[in-house]
Amino acid sequence: MRLEDRVSHPKAFPKVTRSRLYWLSLAILAIGALLVAHIESSKTASGATQRIAVLEKSVKCPSCFGISVYDAHSAAAFSIKTYITNEVGANVSDAVILDNLVASYGTSVLMSPPTSGLSAILWFSPLILGAVVVYELFRSSRRRSPELRASLLRAPGSQAPSPSSNSFALSEVENPSVGIRSWVLVNPKGRRVTLVAGLSSLVGAALLAAFTLFSPTSPTTSSQGMSPVKAALLVDQGKKYALLGEEVLALREFSKVLRSNPHQPDALTYQGWLLYQAGVKDHSAALRYQGLIFLSEAVRLAPRYPDAHLFYGLALYGTDRDLQTSLAQLKEFFKEKPPQSLVSAASNQISAVYRAAGEQVPAIG
Amino acid sequence: MGLRTSRASIRLLLAVSATGLLAVAFSIFVATRSPASTQVVPSPLLGRVAPTTKGPLLGGGELSLDSLRGSMVLVSFYASWCPSCVQQEQQLVRFSQAESQGVKIVSIDFDDQDAAGLNFLRSAGASWPAISDPAGQIALSWGVDGPPETFLVSAGGKVITKVIGAASSKELLNLVALAQAKGYG
């Protein structure tokens, strides 16, 4: 090529091949997923409630099986939730909170393994696997037999390349896209390796994207498990059973909802109240406390839900005679303008708490 | 061709043998493992100074674990709602009767009502102090998953052993003897 040609003709735009398109789309997908993850994580970092939720989701319930404390209702999970709430309230940093939990329980308490020591192998294994696949592709492509190379270069019916055109032909073969494509065409093992490599990349990218897009980042209830409509129907059914005195059937309905969505405030509230009442009936402190855990969770997740405040307040007064906290919950209940039917149904118990505190029950209007 | 077939057979044989060996090794591991209910388990606290443990006693008063320095201490986490804690308390009572090395016992009533926790201890015949931990924050600092769990603390205040589940009095006596033999007493 002459010097003038080089100057007058700018460098040609790289040819768009299928393989280049594939790598480009994969790169765009990966960058997009990382961007979404970054945006989501910065969104959840704001606000104490969301910070608590994020921390609870990053800590594993030590007495459960593979679920975070956010989704768990065990005593140990309750302790960790209390600890996180207190520490966030005291403005302690996330790193210190997690470090303290790791100091007590070890790194196994974290939902994501740490990126140091032996655990680093877990993080880097996909990279190592990818590198192995790429190396294997490269190595296998180098192993192509010269006969196959030559046969690929010959069009049907054409002559074998002459020694004079050999340099051009070889340079074409060395072009990676042509080389790999031809290797894939003639080598069944190569097809398999390419298929595995391609599928692994696609599945990995899809998983990353799915994890980023669909991982729960805030304590919303609608996005998880069964539809809100179905959950509401089951809760209503449970309430009807409870009114008929069929506590076991009612608990079964609420449990169905909670299995699918552990943060459904209605189900948490009524499950908690039924457990508490069962505890009172059977003189079981364990059941009463279990009920209180559910109720406190409901109040935390749905601070504007009057039923949760009412039952939590009554249960607190009934369990520990904690008059001040109980009264505070009942005041929250009245602040949320509860339905008259609910106030009437619990009027005796509400009056007992207000009487003990020397205060008048607020009028509903 | 014949050579290829024999190579493939050898590879297959090797793969099957390796899988079989792994399965046998796993079965042996599972069969010889002590039940999860009583196990001496690792804890990040082992070899470290015991977490600050101070709180109101069931039945009145206050206790700090630091005040017991100079003696080995068994710190036992329990709750009145925990079924296997009944067995745990019975074994601790037997241990306290059999033990002659001056090992102290402190119970921590985890996530429980004070009255229920105290009744539970009294009905088991326990006479040692029990600290109230209604919100489970002491248990959290010790990394307790769920009661019953017991920790042996050296005279110098370091955590030596963690046992999950209801340990027998004999196991506890052996642990104390081992700790003393290693110079923790």
Side-chain angles (χ1 to χ4, degrees):
Chain A
M1 192 183 277
R2 286 178 302 173
L3 186 63
E4 307 86 82
D5 290 343
R6 281 190 197 172
V7 175
S8 59
H9 300 292
K11 202 178 174 185
F13 192 77
K15 199 180 164 189
V16 179
T17 61
R18 209 186 283 179
S19 109
R20 278 182 186 151
L21 267 178
Y22 166 75
W23 287 113
L24 188 70
S25 51
L26 205 63
I28 290 171
L29 193 65
I31 292 168
L34 288 172
L35 273 175
V36 172
H38 176 71
I39 292 163
E40 287 297 314
S41 64
S42 55
K43 235 194 265 174
T44 53
S46 63
T49 316
Q50 282 181 327
R51 212 183 127 202
I52 290 169
V54 170
L55 279 166
E56 286 179 358
K57 281 174 193 168
S58 58
V59 176
K60 205 183 282 175
C61 165
S63 56
C64 317
F65 195 74
I67 57 168
S68 70
V69 294
Y70 182 76
D71 292 322
H73 298 293
S74 72
F78 177 63
S79 306
I80 294 178
K81 282 179 189 180
T82 309
Y83 171 74
I84 290 174
T85 308
N86 291 344
E87 296 296 275
V88 168
N91 238 351
V92 176
S93 73
D94 291 2
V96 172
I97 294 172
L98 292 176
D99 281 353
N100 287 342
L101 287 172
V102 168
S104 301
Y105 290 96
T107 50
S108 60
V109 81
L110 300 175
M111 287 299 282
S112 312
T115 52
S116 59
L118 278 177
S119 310
I121 294 168
L122 274 177
W123 287 98
F124 292 111
S125 56
L127 274 180
I128 294 165
L129 191 72
V132 167
V133 168
V134 168
Y135 172 71
E136 192 57 35
L137 263 172
F138 177 73
R139 209 175 58 138
S140 304
S141 71
R142 294 286 297 268
R143 272 196 210 141
R144 286 192 318 268
S145 68
E147 294 82 11
L148 279 174
R149 278 168 137 195
S151 70
L152 270 166
L153 292 170
R154 275 197 303 270
S158 69
Q159 295 291 315
S162 64
S164 60
S165 62
N166 205 27
S167 59
F168 171 71
L170 277 176
S171 70
E172 193 180 48
V173 173
E174 293 311 322
N175 177 332
S177 65
V178 175
I180 291 174
R181 209 185 312 143
S182 56
W183 166 69
V184 164
L185 278 171
V186 297
N187 191 345
K189 189 183 161 197
R191 252 201 306 265
R192 213 168 50 228
V193 172
T194 314
L195 192 72
V196 169
L199 279 177
S200 322
S201 315
L202 277 177
V203 168
L207 279 176
L208 182 67
F211 175 76
T212 311
L213 289 172
F214 301 115
S215 64
T217 49
S218 60
T220 51
T221 57
S222 57
S223 63
Q224 299 173 17
M226 67 175 66
S227 72
V229 177
K230 193 179 175 195
L233 284 172
L234 285 174
V235 169
D236 275 351
Q237 187 61 40
K239 285 181 190 173
K240 280 177 196 158
Y241 280 137
L243 278 174
L244 293 168
E246 297 283 356
E247 284 92 358
V248 176
L249 290 175
L251 284 170
R252 202 176 63 184
E253 297 301 304
F254 299 136
S255 297
K256 271 187 213 166
V257 178
L258 291 173
R259 258 200 308 274
S260 171
N261 180 357
H263 308 114
Q264 216 283 349
D266 268 326
L268 276 172
T269 303
Y270 282 89
Q271 177 97 335
W273 182 239
L274 282 181
L275 286 172
Y276 167 76
Q277 285 185 316
V280 172
K281 212 159 100 183
D282 298 347
H283 303 287
S284 162
L287 276 176
R288 283 204 304 270
Y289 261 77
Q290 193 69 21
L292 274 175
I293 289 170
F294 275 80
L295 287 166
S296 70
E297 188 76 347
V299 165
R300 193 174 72 86
L301 289 166
R304 309 278 324 259
Y305 183 44
D307 302 34
H309 288 295
L310 170 69
F311 295 140
Y312 189 40
L314 295 179
L316 278 171
Y317 184 66
T319 304
D320 292 334
R321 297 280 160 206
D322 187 350
L323 187 58
Q324 288 316 310
T325 323
S326 169
L327 193 65
Q329 287 298 328
L330 292 184
K331 283 180 177 172
E332 286 294 321
F333 165 66
F334 282 109
K335 212 163 76 182
E336 296 303 330
K337 300 187 174 49
Q340 183 63 53
S341 56
L342 189 59
V343 180
S344 307
S347 62
N348 287 342
Q349 289 154 297
I350 295 171
S351 301
V353 178
Y354 273 88
R355 218 176 17 250
E359 290 189 28
Q360 286 284 319
V361 179
I364 303 285
Chain B
M1 187 71 183
L3 190 66
R4 271 191 192 171
T5 316
S6 66
R7 264 190 196 168
S9 312
I10 289 169
R11 275 187 196 162
L12 186 70
L13 192 70
L14 278 174
V16 170
S17 313
T19 315
L21 272 174
L22 276 174
V24 170
F26 181 70
S27 310
I28 291 171
F29 170 72
V30 171
T32 54
R33 209 162 153 245
S34 21
S37 57
T38 51
Q39 271 189 61
V40 175
V41 292
S43 158
L45 298 176
L46 298 186
R48 296 192 177 168
V49 176
T52 308
T53 305
K54 189 181 171 183
L57 289 170
L58 299 182
E62 199 173 78
L63 180 75
S64 165
L65 194 62
D66 285 347
S67 66
L68 302 176
R69 284 268 172 98
S71 311
M72 281 174 106
V73 185
L74 268 180
V75 179
S76 162
F77 287 85
Y78 81 102
S80 66
W81 46 263
C82 146
S84 47
C85 292
V86 179
Q87 197 191 342
Q88 166 81 354
E89 292 313 315
Q90 288 166 352
Q91 293 300 321
L92 277 173
V93 170
R94 278 190 204 166
F95 168 82
S96 67
Q97 289 161 352
E99 196 277 323
S100 57
Q101 306 296 322
V103 178
K104 303 245 185 322
I105 303 174
V106 174
S107 283
I108 315 269
D109 188 15
F110 167 63
D111 200 19
D112 203 355
Q113 281 181 285
D114 286 1
L118 190 60
N119 283 340
F120 181 84
L121 276 188
R122 295 289 172 263
S123 58
S127 53
W128 52 82
I131 298 174
S132 167
D133 184 22
Q137 296 307 288
I138 298 175
L140 184 142
S141 65
W142 285 79
V144 171
D145 298 347
E149 282 187 21
T150 309
F151 294 81
L152 184 59
V153 178
S154 73
K158 283 188 177 169
V159 181
I160 311 170
T161 318
K162 176 182 180 178
V163 185
I164 58 167
S168 71
S169 59
K170 199 177 168 189
E171 279 173 317
L172 293 172
L173 286 166
N174 286 342
L175 281 174
V176 169
L178 188 66
Q180 279 174 335
K182 288 191 171 185
Y184 287 111

